[in-house]
Amino acid sequence: MSLTELLHYLRLGGVTMAVLLLASIVALGVAIERIIALWGVSENSRVLGETVHKHLLRGDLAAARTASERSKAAVADIFLAGFDRLERARLTGGGVESAVERERAQVGLRLRRNLWLLATIGSLAPFVGLFGTVAGIMRSFKDLGLDVESGGTGGTATVMTGISEALIATAVGILVAVIAMVFYNYFQARLARVLVELRLLGDEFVELLRERPSPPVSPSSPPEPAARGDASPA
């Protein structure tokens, strides 16, 4: 199909083709944005997880927190939520698991951002295209009726041409839906793997916080015995 024919069909489609073209641009934009956002999420999270775990095995909470604050990995927010909860609780592991789980859910929501647009486009684009086809067929039969009223032969050539042109809307709608659903399923599968990795890193983080070695306690000097006065002879 040449560019001239493509522009011809776009003009014939009218509003329907404009909506489908806009939907395809939105789907492509969301896909590119999510690819950039998810680029290196797993690798960066694993690197930070290994660093934080090494510090926790040595009992160095300050170094582990500093590494999390300097990192832009998705799991960094999960670790920082655990550290904040640990400081507030002032108990070893107290309430850390629930805080880590809540933050992990928030990170999952951020990673899924805008994916609903792909699902919506994938489910609605075929119906938009079908609507355009029905509207085009109705217009073709209307033209046929006007041709007969004006004394024409009422041949089917004009109707068939109009129907064939109207069917392009359904074809474009299906194509846009397929592209959107391919991207949506790809991101769903990738996010499922990423969220499992984040859960494992979070669980190991909580376990290391509970099992971390206690910091050395400096021995306190025993209290000095109270001075006793010399007993005076009676």
Side-chain angles (χ1 to χ4, degrees):
M1 181 182 295
S2 64
L3 180 60
T4 303
E5 293 176 344
L6 180 60
L7 294 176
H8 172 69
Y9 284 124
L10 289 176
R11 287 194 300 268
L12 290 175
V15 177
T16 302
M17 293 297 291
V19 171
L20 291 175
L21 181 61
L22 177 61
S24 64
I25 295 174
V26 171
L28 185 60
V30 171
I32 294 174
E33 187 269 337
R34 285 294 87 191
I35 289 175
I36 295 174
L38 296 176
W39 188 270
V41 169
S42 297
E43 182 179 356
N44 294 336
S45 296
R46 283 195 298 268
V47 171
L48 178 61
E50 292 175 358
T51 302
V52 170
H53 294 165
K54 289 178 182 178
H55 290 311
L56 292 179
L57 288 174
R58 294 195 299 265
D60 194 348
L61 284 177
R65 185 183 181 96
T66 301
S68 300
E69 292 174 345
R70 293 177 178 177
S71 176
K72 295 182 179 180
V75 77
D77 293 334
I78 299 176
F79 293 160
L80 290 175
F83 287 129
D84 292 339
R85 180 61 183 175
L86 183 63
E87 291 179 359
R88 290 196 304 269
R90 294 185 179 181
L91 295 172
T92 304
V96 174
E97 185 174 358
S98 58
V100 166
E101 183 63 23
R102 286 194 299 269
E103 187 61 30
R104 190 192 65 83
Q106 293 292 332
V107 171
L109 290 177
R110 290 197 295 269
L111 294 178
R112 289 193 179 96
R113 186 178 57 187
N114 296 332
L115 289 185
W116 65 273
L117 289 172
L118 293 178
T120 302
I121 292 173
S123 60
L124 294 183
F127 296 102
V128 175
L130 183 60
F131 171 79
T133 296
V134 172
I137 292 175
M138 292 173 61
R139 184 172 60 250
S140 297
F141 278 102
K142 180 181 179 181
D143 294 340
L144 177 62
L146 293 176
D147 181 65
V148 172
E149 289 179 359
S150 61
T153 59
T156 60
T158 304
V159 179
M160 292 299 101
T161 302
I163 292 176
S164 65
E165 293 174 346
L167 287 174
I168 192 66
T170 298
V172 172
I174 294 174
L175 178 62
V176 172
V178 168
I179 294 174
M181 292 309 299
V182 166
F183 280 124
Y184 179 77
N185 291 330
Y186 165 74
F187 288 122
Q188 285 292 95
R190 184 172 180 181
L191 281 174
R193 184 174 64 253
V194 170
L195 292 178
V196 169
E197 293 177 352
L198 293 180
R199 179 183 292 276
L200 295 176
L201 289 172
D203 292 344
E204 187 176 1
F205 170 73
V206 173
E207 292 175 0
L208 289 175
L209 281 181
R210 292 174 178 172
E211 301 171 358
R212 74 187 189 280
S214 301
V217 179
S218 58
S220 57
S221 57
E224 296 181 358
R228 296 182 180 178
D230 296 332
S232 57

